[in-house]
Amino acid sequence: MKNTVLAFSRLNPAVIERLQAHVELIVPGADGGDVEAQFAAALPRAHGLLGVGRRLGRANLQAAEQLQVISSISVGYDNYELDYLNERGILLTNTPDVLTESTADLGFALLMSAARRVAELDAWTKAGQWQRTVDPSLFGCDVHGKTLGIIGLGNIGAAIARRGRFGFNMPVLYSGNSRKPALEQELGAQYRGLDALLAEADFVCIVVPLSAQTRQLIGRRELALMKPGAILVNIARGAVLDEAALIEALQQGRIRGAGLDVYEQEPLRDSPLFAMGQVVTLPHIGSATHETRQAMADRAVDNLLAALAGERPRDLVNPQVWRGV
Ligand code: NAP
């Protein structure tokens, strides 16, 4: 008998076709019906869950009695409760690497856009406000040669650092859990404690996973350490940053600007950030290119099918629950 796989986000037709060759696939809402009701009805017989963007903690998985694996179409896995999955022996997989370069592109685009006021002046131009040569009130700040601070020099952090170092001649500082000798060598990157990095960098990019240790890592105290002309970029997770403290710092002109892809509450609605020209707000699109989203979906399906076949999936987040075949 085929295993049952329940999707918890939309899947593209090629992914659906591939899965249907191997498993009984349930995509809630595919027939136009109620997504939540169909998800709840199918959960007790699901052997595998596949998707992104849904909180699946202890409270949400009690009914999933057959569950063997959750395959997340993302690299971040803060939507899941690892302790609970480990307790139940449920495998969790993610999709590292395949989204690194696209997410770094987006991080750098936010940095550039905030520095040169790209989004703000695009709106200004389209609103017909360009009457004469722009005056200094609309000038931005340079990117090339400025100091780039990366909080979390992992895959994406290093890819952003390469763009800065080799594309824009930026000295690179980094902070994180551990020293990275190979990257120090490659990029000339220098390790700093978080406070020192915040005080020295002209651009600060947050690229750490959300965890109990990184929740609200950047709050009022940390923002106060930043240079007045500095720009903060967050492409990690909204909760790594105290959003109210950021809004306050921006309103008081204590930092120059921000480029944001992630927020404490998503989708972001009615935020004071919307009224701030010096802030670029994007709708969580770090990995959202056609090529990368396809690669992520393919990788997630590989992981899911391997796990259901009793093979060790390539991207196992919790290897401690792997018992082999
Ligand atoms: P990664 O390769 O695992 O890198 C994470 C880095 O964060 C590592 O260098 C790690 O240091 C550091 N780190 C972990 N915990 C830390 C802590 N408590 N304090 C300081 N540093 C810490 O992950 P990645 O692929 O670069 O992705 C990073 C995060 O970006 C993901 O978890 C996800 O939340 C986010 N992301 C967002 C988007 C988007 O659409 N905006 C897209 C992709 C990813 P060590 O190596 O020393 O442990």
Side-chain angles (χ1 to χ4, degrees):
M1 228 175 65
K2 283 182 172 179
N3 284 308
T4 298
V5 168
L6 174 60
F8 57 91
S9 62
R10 273 174 298 178
L11 301 177
N12 74 41
V15 167
I16 290 176
E17 197 180 324
R18 182 175 166 210
L19 282 167
Q20 281 172 337
H22 299 276
V23 298
E24 186 207 338
L25 178 66
I26 301 168
V27 184
D31 60 0
D34 185 303
V35 174
E36 289 309 313
Q38 291 185 9
F39 181 86
L43 194 58
R45 59 195 172 93
H47 300 101
L49 294 175
L50 173 72
V52 61
R54 184 182 184 111
R55 174 81 191 149
L56 289 173
R58 182 181 292 269
N60 317 95
L61 291 174
Q62 297 294 335
E65 288 168 6
Q66 313 286 326
L67 192 60
Q68 297 169 23
V69 56
I70 300 176
S71 176
S72 188
I73 313 175
S74 66
V75 66
Y77 45 85
D78 43 285
N79 268 335
Y80 316 99
E81 262 176 64
L82 261 189
D83 288 350
Y84 176 65
L85 298 182
N86 293 346
E87 212 175 278
R88 287 197 42 197
I90 296 168
L91 304 178
L92 175 65
T93 65
N94 67 345
T95 62
D97 313 327
V98 288
L99 45 50
T100 296
E101 298 299 330
S102 299
T103 308
D105 285 346
L106 199 274
F108 218 86
L110 276 170
L111 184 159
M112 295 284 290
S113 184
R116 298 303 304 270
R117 303 171 67 171
V118 172
E120 179 187 6
L121 293 180
D122 170 64
W124 183 85
T125 306
K126 287 173 179 166
Q129 299 200 57
W130 188 18
Q131 310 289 349
R132 62 189 71 82
T133 306
V134 298
D135 63 44
S137 69
L138 297 178
F139 290 0
C141 68
D142 276 336
V143 172
H144 64 273
K146 296 287 184 68
T147 299
L148 176 60
I150 307 280
I151 303 177
L153 196 66
N155 288 331
I156 299 169
I160 293 173
R162 277 187 198 101
R163 283 156 177 74
R165 177 71 192 88
F166 301 122
F168 294 81
N169 197 25
M170 301 171 87
V172 175
L173 308 178
Y174 75 100
S175 69
N177 264 341
S178 59
R179 295 285 292 260
K180 311 281 178 193
L183 288 168
E184 289 187 13
Q185 177 101 28
E186 177 195 344
L187 301 166
Q190 293 183 30
Y191 182 82
R192 292 285 189 279
L194 179 61
D195 288 4
L197 179 143
L198 291 166
E200 277 182 65
D202 298 301
F203 296 92
V204 174
C205 292
I206 308 175
V207 213
V208 288
L210 174 61
S211 66
Q213 291 73 42
T214 62
R215 189 172 288 279
Q216 304 255 313
L217 181 70
I218 305 298
R220 186 168 284 112
R221 188 191 76 84
E222 289 72 25
L223 290 164
L225 295 172
M226 289 178 66
K227 289 180 176 178
I231 286 174
L232 183 68
V233 172
N234 187 11
I235 55 163
R237 286 290 183 264
V240 175
L241 179 63
D242 179 342
E243 208 165 284
L246 173 69
I247 289 167
E248 190 184 287
L250 288 161
Q251 281 169 337
Q252 296 175 358
R254 283 192 272 111
I255 61 172
R256 182 190 299 272
L260 306 173
D261 189 40
V262 289
Y263 310 89
E264 285 177 350
Q265 289 293 323
E266 297 181 5
L268 182 68
R269 295 216 175 85
D270 296 332
S271 170
L273 294 166
F274 293 164
M276 297 182 182
Q278 75 276 38
V279 179
V280 184
T281 50
L282 292 180
H284 201 149
I285 55 163
S287 63
T289 66
H290 292 294
E291 300 91 331
T292 293
R293 285 290 168 86
Q294 184 63 53
M296 290 165 70
D298 289 343
R299 185 84 163 244
V301 172
D302 291 348
N303 284 325
L304 178 82
L305 293 179
L308 290 177
E311 295 157 15
R312 185 184 165 117
R314 177 169 171 186
D315 307 304
L316 192 50
V317 172
N318 52 352
Q320 57 272 50
V321 303
W322 176 250
R323 289 187 195 90
V325 283

